[in-house]
Amino acid sequence: MKQDMTKSEARARLAKLRQTIDHHRYLVQVLNRSEISEAALDSLKHELQQLEERWPDLITADSPSQRVAGQPRPEFRKTRHRVRMWSLSDVFSIAELQAWDERWRKLRPPATSDYLVDLKLDGLAISLTYEGGLLSVGATRGDGQIGEDVTENVRTIEAIPLRLRVDGLSPVVRRQVEHGQVIIRGEAVMRKQDFAALNRQQAKLGKPAFANPRNVAAGSIRQLDPKITASRQLDFYAWELATDLGQPTLWAGYELLRAMGVKTNPRAEVVTTLASLGRFHQRMYEQRDKLPFWIDGVVVKLNHRQLADELGFVGKAPRAATAWKFSAQQATTVVENIVVQVGRTGALTPVAHLSPVQVAGTTVARATLHNADEIARLDVRVGDTVIIEKAGDIIPDVVEVIKNLRPEKTRPWRMPITCPVCHHQVVRKKDEVIHYCPNPRCPARRREHLYHFVSKRALDIAGLGPQTVDLLIEEGLVHEPADFYRLREQDLIGLPLLAEKRAANLVQALAERRTVPLDRFIFALGIRHVGEETARTLAEHFGTWEKVMAAPLAELERVGDIGPVVGGSIAAHFADPQHRDEVRHLLRFVTPQRIRATRAGLLHGKSVVVTGTLVSMTRDEAHEAIRQAGGKVVKSVSKKTSYLVIGSEPGAKFERAKSLGVTIIDEAKFRRMLGRT
Ligand code: IVH
């Protein structure tokens, strides 16, 4: 949501959002088909909810926020809930959770409460009514007041007792259960293994696979034939004892439920601080792949029932509870601007500047648009609402424009014809998608070149980040890489950011990098198309810098997997007198060293992709280790990938590797392979 939005802008935006959300709901609900992901749709709903929260008088009766999905089907008898089934509001970050917490605290100062935290199961809510201890009605949620009577189907779920146990109850409670009514709510879910088995069976019968376990759980319960429900093997976890049996807290309610023989989630806990809520959320996020069922977040509820009752409701949801959803890999947001960045090799990359939005746990304000063809394909324009996706660790992609939400008077985006920094005419080579600033003296290119030279993967000079490099450029101290080695302590002292100690450390760090492995030296020169792998191939093949420099094009092309494009690029690089000078100057300070050939390494001939966060090493260290073992580091998973190494929170690469049958190894196994246990 734009912070400076006016009310009339909000009104227009809300109208469009409602229309779009409704369109997608119709597709899903009625036509059983979807055009955008659930995460993207959720993100639109979230924006709508936030706008409506800010301007409650703009809420209309037909807003998607005011309607409940899943109208009862006529085939089932309807049943009125004695106690209404409420919904939950949701939050997507600790900041939003904090805001929720502050809201209820303001209403009831100086009240305090513990929080009960439970998993948010991705299933179907079910209300169970027991009369005299016997299951009398099982119902779906419906619109919260009237649901569908699915008693016969619910009876087939083993996890739901047909009679409540009373032996362990106090005499007072026991009397209430035996002579009165008890209402219990919970979630019917399909376990992952049962879902997989069901899909295997579908495949055997030549039927299409089910895509979504929640829909299968819902479909299984809303079956007119209870035999089908029985065959689907659903599970059930209670999350609420809705009848007052004297329990002062929700946790006491959970204990009563278990005493009556109704399962609650063993992972549910009572915690006292937001910090521990944060840890619980994080832990469950990390464990979610290993759980037997799907979860999409955690539910946070004030443990004290009286306080919760006093706080009441807003809309359809209690103030005393909220769902803290896991942030999705996709979200929607607005493109505020499209800015062209000039890279080290002169490549122009259009970047979308976005209204900040949470995706996969981080705030995202930029997304790469890659090149002009990609922008044309997507037809992204400034002002557009887009779906962005974060796959793992890198800067997110724009995957789609939601055209219905496009404002009036937008124009297709065009690549500028001159470089935004040096104004040199931009070029695009035949058969290439990238536009370039061909001016080797372009300040933007020089700057990126210097950043690259000292970066971790190149010469790795500690204390020389982009900010310091910028400063050295501004002060006129550094024009070319060799200038770093000309720096003396007295030049640096007194510059902003560079206190005495740092200046000394910097000079020391540079002194330590006077001998560097040949492959790093080659890589640091920033030759177009020469990444770390190619640099290593060259270093291994030629052994010394002099031989690399002297190699004719024909010889370069025969080395490893260097072809005419890469070979041509290397040759062209050194044909430029400025580049030759640059190297000549550098060699006065730096001695490139022959590297050990690793052809006999453990990973020789293997291509390896790393994804997710590793615990014992950084991503760069893992890459280095693979190279040391003779393997080749690749960025994306394909059929040719030998291994995918996964850390925590692996993203799309993990899914892709699974679907391609690539061997997947975890960190422990990876370390064993490297002989590092
Ligand atoms: S408590 C006042 N606890 O999430 C409503 N709900 O998005 C109390 N759900 O309708 C709900 N796991 O179907 C609660 N541990 C849990 C849950 C849970 C899943 C579902 C439930 C609810 C929906 C709200």
Side-chain angles (χ1 to χ4, degrees), residues 84-90 116-126 141 185-189 237-240 250 254 265 268 295-301 313 316-318 321-323 325:
R84 184 171 168 171
M85 284 183 89
W86 300 92
S87 306
L88 285 177
S89 59
D90 44 30
L116 183 145
V117 269
D118 200 346
L119 304 186
K120 184 163 171 7
L121 303 177
D122 203 4
L124 182 72
I126 294 290
R141 182 171 182 283
R185 266 92 195 245
E187 206 79 0
V189 289
Y237 289 90
W239 39 249
E240 184 181 29
L250 299 190
Y254 272 38
N265 206 307
I295 61 174
D296 57 350
V298 306
V299 175
V300 180
K301 305 181 243 192
F313 301 86
K316 296 177 286 122
T322 194
K325 296 264 204 78

Side-chain angles (χ1 to χ4, degrees), residues 541-650:
H541 182 88
F542 290 105
T544 68
W545 170 248
E546 289 69 27
K547 287 192 185 148
V548 178
M549 269 289 253
L553 178 58
E555 189 178 351
L556 285 173
E557 282 180 24
R558 281 198 305 272
V559 180
D561 46 14
I562 294 174
V565 175
V566 182
S569 170
I570 299 170
H573 187 88
F574 295 117
D576 181 334
Q578 187 183 328
H579 289 147
R580 282 205 305 272
D581 282 348
E582 187 178 293
V583 176
R584 209 162 35 79
H585 298 163
L586 257 179
L587 290 172
R588 289 190 200 143
F589 304 98
V590 180
T591 318
Q593 283 198 317
R594 189 185 283 272
I595 56 168
R596 231 171 355 112
T598 49
R599 287 293 173 225
L602 287 158
L603 291 174
H604 173 53
K606 306 285 185 205
S607 62
V608 186
V609 180
V610 183
T611 186
T613 313
L614 301 179
V615 182
S616 64
M617 55 185 112
T618 64
R619 179 66 60 87
D620 284 337
E621 285 163 357
H623 287 172
E624 188 59 34
I626 292 165
R627 281 185 213 110
Q628 294 267 334
K632 184 166 168 182
V633 176
V634 268
K635 296 268 153 40
S636 58
V637 175
S638 74
K639 269 192 293 200
K640 289 195 216 136
T641 307
S642 321
Y643 302 112
L644 176 74
V645 179
I646 54 163
S648 60
E649 293 186 30

Side-chain angles (χ1 to χ4, degrees), residues 235-485:
D235 202 353
F236 176 86
Y237 289 90
W239 39 249
E240 184 181 29
L241 172 57
T243 305
D244 187 355
L245 296 178
Q247 73 278 22
T249 61
L250 299 190
W251 187 254
Y254 272 38
E255 282 175 335
L256 277 174
L257 283 166
R258 282 194 293 270
M260 293 188 287
V262 187
K263 188 159 67 174
T264 61
N265 206 307
R267 290 180 177 79
E269 281 178 26
V270 172
V271 300
T272 54
T273 63
L274 285 185
S276 26
L277 280 178
R279 285 192 291 275
F280 183 84
H281 185 267
Q282 178 64 26
R283 211 163 55 240
M284 292 308 138
Y285 183 74
E286 282 162 11
Q287 290 177 11
R288 73 198 188 288
D289 288 338
K290 298 196 193 85
L291 296 174
F293 36 71
W294 280 273
I295 61 174
D296 57 350
V298 306
V299 175
V300 180
K301 305 181 243 192
L302 297 188
N303 196 21
H304 290 94
R305 292 186 67 220
Q306 197 193 333
L307 173 63
D309 284 348
E310 285 168 13
L311 285 168
F313 301 86
V314 2
K316 296 177 286 122
R319 284 201 178 84
T322 194
W324 183 1
K325 296 264 204 78
F326 295 143
S327 42
Q329 306 288 26
Q330 283 200 346
T332 56
T333 186
V334 174
V335 176
E336 292 179 346
N337 201 358
I338 297 176
V339 173
V340 173
Q341 280 181 0
V342 187
R344 174 168 51 82
T345 57
L348 302 186
T349 311
V351 174
H353 288 205
L354 309 164
S355 299
V357 63
Q358 286 272 320
V359 196
T362 54
T363 303
V364 167
R366 305 239 189 293
T368 174
L369 291 165
H370 302 283
N371 55 57
D373 283 6
E374 177 70 358
I375 296 190
R377 183 183 72 79
L378 294 164
D379 187 17
V380 186
R381 304 178 184 190
V382 173
D384 268 341
T385 300
V386 291
I387 300 176
I388 57 171
E389 181 173 276
K390 214 169 136 194
D393 30 325
I394 31 169
I395 131 161
D397 266 326
V398 171
V399 292
E400 195 182 327
V401 173
I402 305 182
K403 297 266 168 60
N404 300 355
L405 291 172
R406 174 170 285 167
E408 278 158 29
K409 293 201 206 109
T410 57
R411 276 182 289 128
W413 188 84
R414 297 241 176 289
M415 184 63 89
I417 51 173
T418 60
C419 169
V421 178
C422 72
H423 309 294
H424 195 289
Q425 186 111 27
V426 162
V427 296
R428 177 178 182 165
K429 287 200 190 132
K430 206 167 145 272
D431 302 330
E432 283 195 23
V433 291
I434 308 280
H435 286 78
Y436 286 94
C437 166
N439 173 14
R441 282 140 197 88
C442 172
R445 291 186 55 177
R446 303 280 326 147
R447 183 177 299 262
E448 294 288 335
H449 177 53
L450 293 169
Y451 291 167
H452 170 79
F453 183 79
V454 295
S455 67
K456 197 149 184 67
R457 286 152 58 206
L459 259 70
D460 188 17
I461 313 288
L464 257 185
Q467 254 193 340
T468 313
V469 174
D470 282 349
L471 179 72
L472 297 173
I473 297 172
E474 266 162 45
E475 293 291 329
L477 290 168
V478 172
H479 305 277
E480 59 164 353
D483 293 335
F484 287 119
Y485 290 94

